[in-house]
Amino acid sequence: MRNIPDVTTAITYFRSGAAVDLVVSDEMMPGGAGGALLHAVRSISVKTPFPLVSGYAVDSLEALLAADARLALLSKSWTREVLGGGQIEGLLAGAASAG
């Protein structure tokens, strides 16, 4: 696991070719929104699972969520039940089966 502090560094890391199994991003990140990171990741790899975290209303993300089976929304505040509720496992399993 790697903690990356901002959108620009995250995009650079992803473009470096590093093996990335899962990207978890907050919608509000230093240097840009998580949506900007999502678009950059999708331009490189459509298969990488991407849980997006938000503590705000996410009506603006509904179209993205509907169009991308490898995108999930995790609402703040997290609990073990939210994190262990199968969303992340489902994203990883879907990515693995997609090859």
Side-chain angles (χ1 to χ4, degrees):
M1 183 168 83
R2 184 169 306 274
N3 183 7
I4 298 178
D6 59 68
V7 170
T8 303
T9 305
I11 292 170
T12 300
Y13 181 79
F14 200 83
R15 286 186 175 151
S16 76
V20 177
D21 296 322
L22 177 77
V23 176
V24 178
S25 174
D26 198 305
E27 173 56 19
M28 302 303 290
M29 286 184 67
L37 178 58
L38 172 64
H39 290 297
V41 168
R42 287 294 174 259
S43 73
I44 300 164
S45 171
V46 297
K47 295 180 181 180
T48 303
F50 199 110
L52 188 60
V53 179
S54 180
Y56 301 98
V58 292
D59 295 340
S60 62
L61 299 174
E62 285 183 18
L64 284 174
L65 290 165
D68 189 341
R70 291 182 180 86
L71 176 64
L73 179 66
L74 298 177
S75 297
K76 293 180 184 175
S77 291
W78 293 348
T79 62
R80 284 187 179 182
E81 291 76 25
V82 168
L83 292 178
Q87 254 184 320
I88 292 176
E89 291 87 355
L91 289 171
L92 290 169
S97 67

